[in-house]
Amino acid sequence: MTLDPDTARRLRDGMARGVLSFPLTSFHDDGTLDPDGFRAHVAAQIATAPGAVFPACGTGEFFSLDEDEYRQVVTIAVEEAGGRMPVVAGIGYGWAQAARFARIAEEAGADALLVLPHYLVAAPQDGLVAQLEQIAARTRLPLIAYQRGQVAFTAASLRRIADIPNVIGLKDGHSDLDRLQRLTLAAPEGFLFFNGAATAEIQARAYATVGIPAYSSAVHAFAPEIASAFFTALRDGDDGAVEKLLRDFYVPLVELRDRVPGYAVSLVKAASRLRGRPVGPVRAPLTDPSPADLADLKLLLATGLDLVGADL
């Protein structure tokens, strides 16, 4: 496949400029897709000038979208971005289904694809590499592999996937710094790495020590003011501001997130609704926060916004 080298450059430039936005997918109260709500949400995200926008990924509940809904979500994100920043769409499941989603994203105008972990089964390293080879052979778009859950590459496998012409980077959700250091040392020059840990700001300084300063921010989906303030403080070496935001907002957010499986998405949507954003509920198997957890979230959100001089 012919690869556009400009995409990797634009992503690299964007990663240095700001956080990576993973917008939520908007649903009506009856669980149907809300295209207008999503358009409003993604437009608000893009207006804050993130480094790139990643629709229909984990935070965007990719796993709950059918192909027609996926097409609408990616198309809207591309339209709203208007070429101002790269649009990286999520794809996943086995390689045959991933290739179908890749084709839709390509037709919708996406710039690249984030390959979410495959469905259900554990696999050997040869199989993990072959999965990417099969997808890469079926799309012209650049691929970013996502290691999380049952997907974890060795340094030898990293060298193999980096040799696939379409594969330009790796997003990590394991937070194993020993493994990450080995991977960054094994990678060719220019290969992109992203911190994809849940609530990535918690580990942003640690990732930076092994050469991975770029990160995705779920907080950006509901409080770009907080996410941008943290990114700026981290970039400028303002340790006092970084530690205050971590202590008073991010660590309590993680403690709240850890109460219930799936809150990594559910709390983000709930916080967006608290700010009047039209994102709607989560789809099963996720569940919305309990009234008690929602009350705690509202207090925490007000605290975080107050720390950066913003209002609820």
Side-chain angles (χ1 to χ4, degrees):
M1 295 288 180
T2 301
L3 180 64
D4 179 6
D6 188 55
T7 300
R9 180 193 60 77
R10 292 177 65 212
L11 278 168
R12 186 177 298 106
D13 291 347
M15 288 156 50
R17 185 180 67 246
V19 299
L20 306 176
S21 170
F22 283 69
L24 301 157
T25 298
S26 299
F27 300 120
H28 294 293
D29 288 342
D30 64 359
T32 57
L33 183 69
D34 178 7
D36 292 339
F38 178 71
R39 187 179 293 277
H41 170 65
V42 78
Q45 289 282 288
I46 289 169
T48 65
V53 60
F54 288 67
C57 293
T59 306
E61 298 178 77
F62 165 78
F63 53 85
S64 76
L65 300 177
D66 67 27
E67 291 183 12
D68 179 64
E69 292 169 333
Y70 177 84
R71 183 185 299 275
Q72 292 183 67
V73 165
V74 178
T75 298
I76 289 169
V78 170
E79 289 173 351
E80 293 301 320
R84 288 172 290 172
M85 62 199 63
V87 175
V88 185
I91 62 172
Y93 308 118
W95 64 258
Q97 284 182 285
R100 289 173 63 90
F101 282 102
R103 190 176 310 115
I104 294 169
E106 187 172 332
E107 292 168 354
D111 297 291
L113 303 167
L114 178 66
V115 183
L116 303 173
H118 63 270
Y119 173 69
L120 192 61
V121 297
Q125 291 294 307
D126 285 347
L128 298 181
V129 174
Q131 165 88 340
L132 288 171
E133 290 174 335
Q134 292 286 352
I135 297 169
R138 289 163 173 81
T139 181
R140 66 174 183 82
L141 293 181
L143 304 177
I144 298 167
Y146 189 3
Q147 63 170 19
R148 191 186 187 106
Q150 69 270 37
V151 176
F153 294 100
T154 63
S157 293
L158 188 283
R159 286 189 286 267
R160 291 174 63 190
I161 67 171
D163 283 339
I164 302 170
N166 298 50
V167 177
I168 63 170
L170 177 73
K171 181 181 179 185
D172 174 74
H174 286 295
S175 305
D176 181 338
L177 295 183
D178 179 272
R179 177 187 291 269
L180 283 172
Q181 186 67 90
R182 295 168 190 266
L183 295 180
T184 58
L185 293 173
E189 184 177 358
F191 196 77
L192 304 177
F193 285 92
F194 308 78
N195 166 6
T199 316
E201 286 90 345
I202 289 286
Q203 302 190 61
R205 288 193 291 190
Y207 271 82
T209 65
V210 293
I212 308 176
Y215 61 90
S216 58
S217 174
V219 169
H220 188 274
F222 65 86
E225 305 96 325
I226 299 173
S228 296
F230 184 90
F231 178 87
T232 299
L234 186 66
R235 181 195 62 196
D236 295 347
D238 186 348
D239 289 338
V242 167
E243 288 167 11
K244 185 166 184 59
L245 283 165
L246 288 173
R247 183 184 307 109
D248 295 342
F249 176 74
Y250 282 101
V251 169
L253 179 64
V254 169
E255 291 172 349
L256 181 56
R257 182 200 72 200
D258 289 347
R259 291 180 187 176
V260 176
Y263 265 16
V265 177
S266 302
L267 286 178
V268 176
K269 270 202 159 175
S272 295
R273 293 194 301 272
L274 287 172
R275 304 200 71 191
R277 308 291 191 256
V279 297
V282 292
R283 275 182 174 173
L286 302 180
T287 58
D288 289 313
S290 68
D293 290 343
L294 190 61
D296 288 346
L297 176 63
K298 187 173 183 178
L299 288 173
L300 179 57
L301 178 56
T303 296
L305 290 169
D306 186 62
L307 288 172
V308 299
D311 298 320
L312 185 61

